[in-house]
mmCIF file of all heavy atoms in Angstrom:
data_model
loop_
_atom_site.group_PDB
_atom_site.id
_atom_site.type_symbol
_atom_site.label_atom_id
_atom_site.label_comp_id
_atom_site.label_asym_id
_atom_site.label_seq_id
_atom_site.Cartn_x
_atom_site.Cartn_y
_atom_site.Cartn_z
ATOM 1 N N GLU C 42 -5.931 9.737 -3.280
ATOM 2 C CA GLU C 42 -5.242 9.596 -1.957
ATOM 3 C C GLU C 42 -3.989 8.687 -2.198
ATOM 4 O O GLU C 42 -4.188 7.590 -2.743
ATOM 5 C CB GLU C 42 -6.175 8.927 -0.961
ATOM 6 C CG GLU C 42 -7.442 9.765 -0.617
ATOM 7 C CD GLU C 42 -8.326 9.102 0.223
ATOM 8 O OE1 GLU C 42 -8.326 7.832 0.397
ATOM 9 O OE2 GLU C 42 -9.155 9.797 0.842
ATOM 10 N N LEU C 43 -2.846 9.128 -1.759
ATOM 11 C CA LEU C 43 -1.598 8.254 -1.915
ATOM 12 C C LEU C 43 -1.142 7.958 -0.506
ATOM 13 O O LEU C 43 -1.181 8.701 0.365
ATOM 14 C CB LEU C 43 -0.551 9.053 -2.749
ATOM 15 C CG LEU C 43 -0.899 9.322 -4.182
ATOM 16 C CD1 LEU C 43 0.267 10.090 -4.804
ATOM 17 C CD2 LEU C 43 -1.138 8.126 -4.950
ATOM 18 N N ASN C 44 -0.591 6.693 -0.418
ATOM 19 C CA ASN C 44 0.037 6.289 0.803
ATOM 20 C C ASN C 44 1.562 6.347 0.361
ATOM 21 O O ASN C 44 2.016 5.331 -0.350
ATOM 22 C CB ASN C 44 -0.409 4.888 1.263
ATOM 23 C CG ASN C 44 0.270 4.469 2.525
ATOM 24 O OD1 ASN C 44 1.122 5.205 3.139
ATOM 25 N ND2 ASN C 44 -0.018 3.232 2.885
ATOM 26 N N VAL C 45 2.319 7.286 0.854
ATOM 27 C CA VAL C 45 3.620 7.441 0.345
ATOM 28 C C VAL C 45 4.656 7.482 1.559
ATOM 29 O O VAL C 45 4.430 8.050 2.554
ATOM 30 C CB VAL C 45 3.878 8.875 -0.343
ATOM 31 C CG1 VAL C 45 5.304 9.082 -0.790
ATOM 32 C CG2 VAL C 45 2.873 8.945 -1.481
ATOM 33 N N PRO C 46 5.696 6.681 1.497
ATOM 34 C CA PRO C 46 6.749 6.578 2.539
ATOM 35 C C PRO C 46 7.292 7.995 2.740
ATOM 36 O O PRO C 46 7.502 8.773 1.837
ATOM 37 C CB PRO C 46 7.752 5.628 2.082
ATOM 38 C CG PRO C 46 7.131 4.735 1.094
ATOM 39 C CD PRO C 46 6.084 5.678 0.435
ATOM 40 N N LYS C 47 7.668 8.346 4.000
ATOM 41 C CA LYS C 47 8.228 9.640 4.278
ATOM 42 C C LYS C 47 9.490 9.899 3.604
ATOM 43 O O LYS C 47 9.760 11.145 3.334
ATOM 44 C CB LYS C 47 8.417 9.781 5.822
ATOM 45 C CG LYS C 47 7.109 9.798 6.687
ATOM 46 C CD LYS C 47 7.400 9.937 8.015
ATOM 47 C CE LYS C 47 6.076 9.984 8.780
ATOM 48 N NZ LYS C 47 6.218 10.191 10.185
ATOM 49 N N ALA C 48 10.255 8.960 3.146
ATOM 50 C CA ALA C 48 11.470 9.186 2.498
ATOM 51 C C ALA C 48 11.284 9.564 0.976
ATOM 52 O O ALA C 48 12.218 9.784 0.271
ATOM 53 C CB ALA C 48 12.387 7.967 2.561
ATOM 54 N N ILE C 49 10.062 9.565 0.466
ATOM 55 C CA ILE C 49 9.776 9.726 -0.992
ATOM 56 C C ILE C 49 8.912 10.985 -1.164
ATOM 57 O O ILE C 49 7.972 11.292 -0.418
ATOM 58 C CB ILE C 49 8.996 8.535 -1.494
ATOM 59 C CG1 ILE C 49 9.708 7.239 -1.236
ATOM 60 C CG2 ILE C 49 8.666 8.652 -2.942
ATOM 61 C CD1 ILE C 49 11.060 7.126 -1.971
ATOM 62 N N ASP C 50 9.210 11.703 -2.269
ATOM 63 C CA ASP C 50 8.428 12.849 -2.660
ATOM 64 C C ASP C 50 7.667 12.486 -3.902
ATOM 65 O O ASP C 50 8.243 11.811 -4.784
ATOM 66 C CB ASP C 50 9.358 14.082 -3.048
ATOM 67 C CG ASP C 50 9.840 14.819 -1.813
ATOM 68 O OD1 ASP C 50 9.127 14.895 -0.855
ATOM 69 O OD2 ASP C 50 10.952 15.322 -1.873
ATOM 70 N N VAL C 51 6.423 12.906 -4.088
ATOM 71 C CA VAL C 51 5.595 12.644 -5.195
ATOM 72 C C VAL C 51 4.962 13.999 -5.627
ATOM 73 O O VAL C 51 4.469 14.684 -4.900
ATOM 74 C CB VAL C 51 4.439 11.699 -4.913
ATOM 75 C CG1 VAL C 51 3.555 11.512 -6.158
ATOM 76 C CG2 VAL C 51 5.055 10.334 -4.462
ATOM 77 N N GLU C 52 5.086 14.197 -7.009
ATOM 78 C CA GLU C 52 4.468 15.335 -7.628
ATOM 79 C C GLU C 52 3.424 14.709 -8.621
ATOM 80 O O GLU C 52 3.654 13.668 -9.226
ATOM 81 C CB GLU C 52 5.446 16.270 -8.360
ATOM 82 C CG GLU C 52 6.362 16.981 -7.438
ATOM 83 C CD GLU C 52 7.328 17.889 -8.208
ATOM 84 O OE1 GLU C 52 6.916 18.295 -9.323
ATOM 85 O OE2 GLU C 52 8.348 18.243 -7.668
ATOM 86 N N VAL C 53 2.328 15.444 -8.829
ATOM 87 C CA VAL C 53 1.316 15.034 -9.720
ATOM 88 C C VAL C 53 1.032 16.201 -10.745
ATOM 89 O O VAL C 53 0.896 17.297 -10.359
ATOM 90 C CB VAL C 53 -0.025 14.764 -8.986
ATOM 91 C CG1 VAL C 53 -1.168 14.440 -9.909
ATOM 92 C CG2 VAL C 53 0.129 13.689 -7.962
ATOM 93 N N GLU C 54 1.078 15.761 -12.086
ATOM 94 C CA GLU C 54 0.725 16.788 -13.117
ATOM 95 C C GLU C 54 -0.213 16.163 -14.129
ATOM 96 O O GLU C 54 -0.225 14.938 -14.322
ATOM 97 C CB GLU C 54 2.094 17.027 -13.834
ATOM 98 C CG GLU C 54 3.065 17.822 -12.989
ATOM 99 C CD GLU C 54 4.308 18.195 -13.768
ATOM 100 O OE1 GLU C 54 4.191 18.725 -14.911
ATOM 101 O OE2 GLU C 54 5.427 17.814 -13.291
ATOM 102 N N GLU C 55 -0.902 16.954 -14.853
ATOM 103 C CA GLU C 55 -1.838 16.502 -15.852
ATOM 104 C C GLU C 55 -1.067 16.174 -17.119
ATOM 105 O O GLU C 55 -0.035 16.634 -17.381
ATOM 106 C CB GLU C 55 -2.783 17.641 -16.264
ATOM 107 C CG GLU C 55 -3.659 18.256 -15.108
ATOM 108 C CD GLU C 55 -3.053 19.457 -14.567
ATOM 109 O OE1 GLU C 55 -2.014 19.925 -15.053
ATOM 110 O OE2 GLU C 55 -3.710 20.095 -13.696
ATOM 111 N N VAL C 56 -1.595 15.079 -17.803
ATOM 112 C CA VAL C 56 -0.979 14.738 -19.144
ATOM 113 C C VAL C 56 -2.091 14.560 -20.146
ATOM 114 O O VAL C 56 -3.219 14.242 -19.786
ATOM 115 C CB VAL C 56 -0.067 13.423 -19.026
ATOM 116 C CG1 VAL C 56 1.105 13.543 -18.155
ATOM 117 C CG2 VAL C 56 -1.004 12.234 -18.537
ATOM 118 N N GLY C 57 -1.714 14.825 -21.432
ATOM 119 C CA GLY C 57 -2.631 14.483 -22.533
ATOM 120 C C GLY C 57 -3.518 15.707 -22.892
ATOM 121 O O GLY C 57 -4.343 15.512 -23.872
ATOM 122 N N GLY C 58 -3.510 16.693 -22.263
ATOM 123 C CA GLY C 58 -4.305 17.899 -22.639
ATOM 124 C C GLY C 58 -4.999 18.536 -21.526
ATOM 125 O O GLY C 58 -4.520 18.551 -20.402
ATOM 126 N N THR C 59 -6.212 19.021 -21.712
ATOM 127 C CA THR C 59 -6.947 19.921 -20.726
ATOM 128 C C THR C 59 -8.128 19.230 -20.169
ATOM 129 O O THR C 59 -8.868 19.819 -19.512
ATOM 130 C CB THR C 59 -7.273 21.283 -21.279
ATOM 131 O OG1 THR C 59 -8.110 21.117 -22.373
ATOM 132 C CG2 THR C 59 -6.061 22.085 -21.724
ATOM 133 N N ASP C 60 -8.306 17.955 -20.411
ATOM 134 C CA ASP C 60 -9.468 17.217 -19.968
ATOM 135 C C ASP C 60 -9.383 16.722 -18.581
ATOM 136 O O ASP C 60 -10.446 16.279 -17.909
ATOM 137 C CB ASP C 60 -9.895 16.096 -20.918
ATOM 138 C CG ASP C 60 -10.477 16.567 -22.120
ATOM 139 O OD1 ASP C 60 -11.034 17.691 -22.155
ATOM 140 O OD2 ASP C 60 -10.374 15.886 -23.148
ATOM 141 N N VAL C 61 -8.223 16.765 -17.910
ATOM 142 C CA VAL C 61 -8.013 16.406 -16.553
ATOM 143 C C VAL C 61 -7.255 17.538 -15.896
ATOM 144 O O VAL C 61 -6.208 17.951 -16.416
ATOM 145 C CB VAL C 61 -7.205 15.079 -16.381
ATOM 146 C CG1 VAL C 61 -6.928 14.824 -14.912
ATOM 147 C CG2 VAL C 61 -7.963 13.876 -17.059
ATOM 148 N N THR C 62 -7.732 18.024 -14.734
ATOM 149 C CA THR C 62 -7.006 19.039 -13.934
ATOM 150 C C THR C 62 -6.905 18.575 -12.582
ATOM 151 O O THR C 62 -7.670 17.688 -12.040
ATOM 152 C CB THR C 62 -7.818 20.422 -13.971
ATOM 153 O OG1 THR C 62 -9.101 20.225 -13.439
ATOM 154 C CG2 THR C 62 -7.828 21.015 -15.372
ATOM 155 N N GLU C 63 -5.840 19.013 -11.903
ATOM 156 C CA GLU C 63 -5.556 18.530 -10.470
ATOM 157 C C GLU C 63 -5.144 19.809 -9.670
ATOM 158 O O GLU C 63 -4.631 20.806 -10.137
ATOM 159 C CB GLU C 63 -4.430 17.543 -10.514
ATOM 160 C CG GLU C 63 -3.051 17.985 -11.141
ATOM 161 C CD GLU C 63 -2.228 18.743 -10.160
ATOM 162 O OE1 GLU C 63 -2.430 18.719 -8.933
ATOM 163 O OE2 GLU C 63 -1.263 19.422 -10.617
ATOM 164 N N ALA C 64 -5.448 19.619 -8.351
ATOM 165 C CA ALA C 64 -5.001 20.598 -7.373
ATOM 166 C C ALA C 64 -4.547 19.904 -6.098
ATOM 167 O O ALA C 64 -5.335 18.989 -5.614
ATOM 168 C CB ALA C 64 -6.130 21.573 -7.042
ATOM 169 N N GLN C 65 -3.322 20.110 -5.605
ATOM 170 C CA GLN C 65 -2.925 19.370 -4.347
ATOM 171 C C GLN C 65 -3.636 19.963 -3.178
ATOM 172 O O GLN C 65 -3.630 21.230 -2.958
ATOM 173 C CB GLN C 65 -1.455 19.519 -4.232
ATOM 174 C CG GLN C 65 -0.931 18.673 -3.172
ATOM 175 C CD GLN C 65 0.684 18.603 -3.202
ATOM 176 O OE1 GLN C 65 1.402 19.301 -3.970
ATOM 177 N NE2 GLN C 65 1.201 17.653 -2.353
ATOM 178 N N LEU C 66 -4.152 19.077 -2.433
ATOM 179 C CA LEU C 66 -4.925 19.395 -1.116
ATOM 180 C C LEU C 66 -4.054 19.353 0.159
ATOM 181 O O LEU C 66 -4.115 20.116 1.051
ATOM 182 C CB LEU C 66 -6.176 18.670 -0.980
ATOM 183 C CG LEU C 66 -7.249 18.758 -2.150
ATOM 184 C CD1 LEU C 66 -8.263 17.791 -1.935
ATOM 185 C CD2 LEU C 66 -7.769 20.164 -2.229
ATOM 186 N N SER C 67 -3.208 18.307 0.168
ATOM 187 C CA SER C 67 -2.270 18.042 1.313
ATOM 188 C C SER C 67 -1.145 17.309 0.657
ATOM 189 O O SER C 67 -1.058 17.025 -0.496
ATOM 190 C CB SER C 67 -2.968 17.288 2.435
ATOM 191 O OG SER C 67 -3.265 15.992 2.026
ATOM 192 N N ARG C 68 -0.197 16.861 1.544
ATOM 193 C CA ARG C 68 1.013 16.185 1.089
ATOM 194 C C ARG C 68 0.657 14.930 0.242
ATOM 195 O O ARG C 68 1.340 14.652 -0.798
ATOM 196 C CB ARG C 68 1.931 15.680 2.322
ATOM 197 C CG ARG C 68 3.155 14.927 1.792
ATOM 198 C CD ARG C 68 3.955 14.461 2.995
ATOM 199 N NE ARG C 68 5.220 13.867 2.527
ATOM 200 C CZ ARG C 68 5.349 12.565 2.264
ATOM 201 N NH1 ARG C 68 4.344 11.717 2.320
ATOM 202 N NH2 ARG C 68 6.490 12.192 1.814
ATOM 203 N N ASN C 69 -0.403 14.211 0.522
ATOM 204 C CA ASN C 69 -0.787 12.897 -0.001
ATOM 205 C C ASN C 69 -2.136 12.901 -0.714
ATOM 206 O O ASN C 69 -2.676 11.870 -0.936
ATOM 207 C CB ASN C 69 -0.669 11.776 0.927
ATOM 208 C CG ASN C 69 0.789 11.568 1.273
ATOM 209 O OD1 ASN C 69 1.722 11.801 0.545
ATOM 210 N ND2 ASN C 69 0.922 11.107 2.450
ATOM 211 N N THR C 70 -2.830 14.117 -0.847
ATOM 212 C CA THR C 70 -4.118 14.060 -1.549
ATOM 213 C C THR C 70 -4.221 15.234 -2.635
ATOM 214 O O THR C 70 -3.666 16.267 -2.459
ATOM 215 C CB THR C 70 -5.279 14.343 -0.553
ATOM 216 O OG1 THR C 70 -4.953 15.444 0.278
ATOM 217 C CG2 THR C 70 -5.463 13.087 0.362
ATOM 218 N N TRP C 71 -4.923 14.815 -3.690
ATOM 219 C CA TRP C 71 -5.168 15.866 -4.754
ATOM 220 C C TRP C 71 -6.630 15.764 -5.165
ATOM 221 O O TRP C 71 -7.216 14.663 -5.165
ATOM 222 C CB TRP C 71 -4.251 15.398 -5.992
ATOM 223 C CG TRP C 71 -2.852 15.778 -5.825
ATOM 224 C CD1 TRP C 71 -2.204 16.850 -6.404
ATOM 225 C CD2 TRP C 71 -1.870 14.959 -5.193
ATOM 226 N NE1 TRP C 71 -0.846 16.709 -5.972
ATOM 227 C CE2 TRP C 71 -0.656 15.584 -5.295
ATOM 228 C CE3 TRP C 71 -1.924 13.649 -4.516
ATOM 229 C CZ2 TRP C 71 0.522 15.038 -4.722
ATOM 230 C CZ3 TRP C 71 -0.727 13.186 -3.942
ATOM 231 C CH2 TRP C 71 0.497 13.907 -4.118
ATOM 232 N N LEU C 72 -7.156 16.881 -5.627
ATOM 233 C CA LEU C 72 -8.564 16.930 -6.090
ATOM 234 C C LEU C 72 -8.305 16.827 -7.635
ATOM 235 O O LEU C 72 -7.501 17.502 -8.215
ATOM 236 C CB LEU C 72 -9.189 18.269 -5.808
ATOM 237 C CG LEU C 72 -10.557 18.501 -6.548
ATOM 238 C CD1 LEU C 72 -11.557 17.498 -6.078
ATOM 239 C CD2 LEU C 72 -10.988 19.953 -6.174
ATOM 240 N N LEU C 73 -9.115 15.957 -8.276
ATOM 241 C CA LEU C 73 -9.019 15.808 -9.758
ATOM 242 C C LEU C 73 -10.401 16.146 -10.289
ATOM 243 O O LEU C 73 -11.377 15.771 -9.767
ATOM 244 C CB LEU C 73 -8.634 14.366 -10.139
ATOM 245 C CG LEU C 73 -7.389 13.725 -9.611
ATOM 246 C CD1 LEU C 73 -7.272 12.298 -9.998
ATOM 247 C CD2 LEU C 73 -6.175 14.618 -10.018
ATOM 248 N N VAL C 74 -10.376 16.768 -11.447
ATOM 249 C CA VAL C 74 -11.639 17.016 -12.240
ATOM 250 C C VAL C 74 -11.299 16.404 -13.617
ATOM 251 O O VAL C 74 -10.366 16.745 -14.311
ATOM 252 C CB VAL C 74 -11.945 18.527 -12.398
ATOM 253 C CG1 VAL C 74 -13.214 18.713 -13.264
ATOM 254 C CG2 VAL C 74 -12.218 19.082 -11.007
ATOM 255 N N VAL C 75 -12.184 15.420 -13.913
ATOM 256 C CA VAL C 75 -11.995 14.763 -15.244
ATOM 257 C C VAL C 75 -13.260 15.078 -16.026
ATOM 258 O O VAL C 75 -14.386 14.721 -15.794
ATOM 259 C CB VAL C 75 -12.052 13.211 -14.949
ATOM 260 C CG1 VAL C 75 -11.792 12.413 -16.304
ATOM 261 C CG2 VAL C 75 -10.893 12.875 -13.915
ATOM 262 N N LYS C 76 -13.052 15.890 -17.143
ATOM 263 C CA LYS C 76 -14.087 16.303 -17.940
ATOM 264 C C LYS C 76 -14.770 15.128 -18.668
ATOM 265 O O LYS C 76 -14.134 14.198 -18.885
ATOM 266 C CB LYS C 76 -13.609 17.286 -18.932
ATOM 267 C CG LYS C 76 -13.175 18.635 -18.312
ATOM 268 C CD LYS C 76 -12.811 19.717 -19.353
ATOM 269 C CE LYS C 76 -12.305 20.928 -18.734
ATOM 270 N NZ LYS C 76 -11.821 21.869 -19.670
ATOM 271 N N LYS C 77 -16.001 15.375 -19.061
ATOM 272 C CA LYS C 77 -16.714 14.274 -19.754
ATOM 273 C C LYS C 77 -16.138 13.918 -21.072
ATOM 274 O O LYS C 77 -16.342 12.842 -21.597
ATOM 275 C CB LYS C 77 -18.206 14.629 -19.954
ATOM 276 C CG LYS C 77 -18.407 15.860 -20.805
ATOM 277 C CD LYS C 77 -19.845 16.160 -20.902
ATOM 278 C CE LYS C 77 -20.096 17.434 -21.740
ATOM 279 N NZ LYS C 77 -21.541 17.836 -21.746
ATOM 280 N N THR C 78 -15.280 14.823 -21.631
ATOM 281 C CA THR C 78 -14.570 14.527 -22.859
ATOM 282 C C THR C 78 -13.258 13.774 -22.729
ATOM 283 O O THR C 78 -12.544 13.424 -23.623
ATOM 284 C CB THR C 78 -14.280 15.787 -23.595
ATOM 285 O OG1 THR C 78 -13.672 16.708 -22.741
ATOM 286 C CG2 THR C 78 -15.632 16.436 -24.156
ATOM 287 N N ALA C 79 -12.890 13.501 -21.394
ATOM 288 C CA ALA C 79 -11.522 12.730 -21.157
ATOM 289 C C ALA C 79 -11.635 11.349 -21.714
ATOM 290 O O ALA C 79 -12.535 10.554 -21.556
ATOM 291 C CB ALA C 79 -11.232 12.738 -19.720
ATOM 292 N N GLY C 80 -10.488 11.006 -22.499
ATOM 293 C CA GLY C 80 -10.509 9.700 -23.056
ATOM 294 C C GLY C 80 -9.037 9.140 -23.058
ATOM 295 O O GLY C 80 -8.245 9.491 -22.303
ATOM 296 N N LEU C 81 -8.801 8.363 -24.068
ATOM 297 C CA LEU C 81 -7.480 7.692 -24.156
ATOM 298 C C LEU C 81 -6.369 8.833 -24.220
ATOM 299 O O LEU C 81 -6.526 9.796 -25.049
ATOM 300 C CB LEU C 81 -7.386 6.804 -25.459
ATOM 301 C CG LEU C 81 -8.233 5.586 -25.452
ATOM 302 C CD1 LEU C 81 -8.192 4.896 -26.742
ATOM 303 C CD2 LEU C 81 -7.958 4.665 -24.283
ATOM 304 N N GLY C 82 -5.361 8.641 -23.413
ATOM 305 C CA GLY C 82 -4.279 9.632 -23.466
ATOM 306 C C GLY C 82 -4.450 10.721 -22.404
ATOM 307 O O GLY C 82 -3.484 11.460 -22.164
ATOM 308 N N ASP C 83 -5.586 10.888 -21.767
ATOM 309 C CA ASP C 83 -5.776 11.817 -20.776
ATOM 310 C C ASP C 83 -5.558 11.221 -19.296
ATOM 311 O O ASP C 83 -5.913 10.118 -19.182
ATOM 312 C CB ASP C 83 -7.204 12.459 -20.698
ATOM 313 C CG ASP C 83 -7.466 13.271 -22.051
ATOM 314 O OD1 ASP C 83 -6.591 14.074 -22.346
ATOM 315 O OD2 ASP C 83 -8.503 12.968 -22.630
ATOM 316 N N GLY C 84 -4.966 12.006 -18.482
ATOM 317 C CA GLY C 84 -4.673 11.474 -17.174
ATOM 318 C C GLY C 84 -3.790 12.354 -16.285
ATOM 319 O O GLY C 84 -3.615 13.564 -16.499
ATOM 320 N N ILE C 85 -3.044 11.668 -15.434
ATOM 321 C CA ILE C 85 -2.053 12.330 -14.565
ATOM 322 C C ILE C 85 -0.807 11.574 -14.551
ATOM 323 O O ILE C 85 -0.807 10.333 -14.755
ATOM 324 C CB ILE C 85 -2.608 12.546 -13.121
ATOM 325 C CG1 ILE C 85 -3.044 11.112 -12.516
ATOM 326 C CG2 ILE C 85 -3.713 13.510 -13.046
ATOM 327 C CD1 ILE C 85 -3.449 11.167 -11.089
ATOM 328 N N GLU C 86 0.276 12.224 -14.276
ATOM 329 C CA GLU C 86 1.590 11.500 -14.145
ATOM 330 C C GLU C 86 2.140 11.825 -12.760
ATOM 331 O O GLU C 86 2.154 12.883 -12.230
ATOM 332 C CB GLU C 86 2.523 12.084 -15.200
ATOM 333 C CG GLU C 86 3.865 11.375 -15.190
ATOM 334 C CD GLU C 86 4.839 11.795 -16.277
ATOM 335 O OE1 GLU C 86 5.315 12.977 -16.211
ATOM 336 O OE2 GLU C 86 4.937 11.028 -17.194
ATOM 337 N N LEU C 87 2.527 10.679 -12.147
ATOM 338 C CA LEU C 87 3.174 10.841 -10.757
ATOM 339 C C LEU C 87 4.628 10.826 -11.022
ATOM 340 O O LEU C 87 5.231 9.952 -11.668
ATOM 341 C CB LEU C 87 2.874 9.631 -9.901
ATOM 342 C CG LEU C 87 1.326 9.281 -9.743
ATOM 343 C CD1 LEU C 87 1.262 8.063 -8.798
ATOM 344 C CD2 LEU C 87 0.589 10.452 -9.249
ATOM 345 N N THR C 88 5.374 11.843 -10.504
ATOM 346 C CA THR C 88 6.842 11.894 -10.532
ATOM 347 C C THR C 88 7.349 11.536 -9.038
ATOM 348 O O THR C 88 6.989 12.216 -8.077
ATOM 349 C CB THR C 88 7.316 13.295 -10.857
ATOM 350 O OG1 THR C 88 6.757 13.644 -12.138
ATOM 351 C CG2 THR C 88 8.836 13.285 -10.935
ATOM 352 N N ILE C 89 7.999 10.403 -9.026
ATOM 353 C CA ILE C 89 8.360 9.764 -7.692
ATOM 354 C C ILE C 89 9.925 9.893 -7.604
ATOM 355 O O ILE C 89 10.693 9.483 -8.415
ATOM 356 C CB ILE C 89 7.897 8.393 -7.638
ATOM 357 C CG1 ILE C 89 6.408 8.258 -7.883
ATOM 358 C CG2 ILE C 89 8.359 7.736 -6.393
ATOM 359 C CD1 ILE C 89 5.884 6.852 -8.113
ATOM 360 N N GLU C 90 10.374 10.554 -6.476
ATOM 361 C CA GLU C 90 11.788 10.743 -6.200
ATOM 362 C C GLU C 90 12.117 10.522 -4.843
ATOM 363 O O GLU C 90 11.380 10.977 -3.910
ATOM 364 C CB GLU C 90 12.241 12.131 -6.631
ATOM 365 C CG GLU C 90 12.079 12.450 -8.048
ATOM 366 C CD GLU C 90 12.548 13.904 -8.365
ATOM 367 O OE1 GLU C 90 12.038 14.816 -7.695
ATOM 368 O OE2 GLU C 90 13.330 14.001 -9.241
ATOM 369 N N PRO C 91 13.198 9.874 -4.437
ATOM 370 C CA PRO C 91 13.474 9.693 -2.999
ATOM 371 C C PRO C 91 14.204 11.085 -2.526
ATOM 372 O O PRO C 91 14.789 11.781 -3.346
ATOM 373 C CB PRO C 91 14.621 8.666 -2.960
ATOM 374 C CG PRO C 91 15.145 8.692 -4.370
ATOM 375 C CD PRO C 91 14.113 9.084 -5.201
#
Side-chain angles (χ1 to χ4, degrees):
E42 298 175 342
L43 297 179
N44 182 6
V45 181
K47 290 182 181 185
I49 304 297
D50 283 328
V51 176
E52 291 183 24
V53 175
E54 295 182 51
E55 304 97 357
V56 295
T59 60
D60 286 337
V61 177
T62 56
E63 59 82 19
Q65 188 168 7
L66 301 174
S67 69
R68 179 181 186 272
N69 294 330
T70 52
W71 287 261
L72 173 63
L73 304 177
V74 176
V75 183
K76 292 184 181 177
K77 64 183 175 184
T78 53
L81 295 176
D83 294 312
I85 56 173
E86 182 174 76
L87 310 179
T88 302
I89 303 166
E90 296 179 307

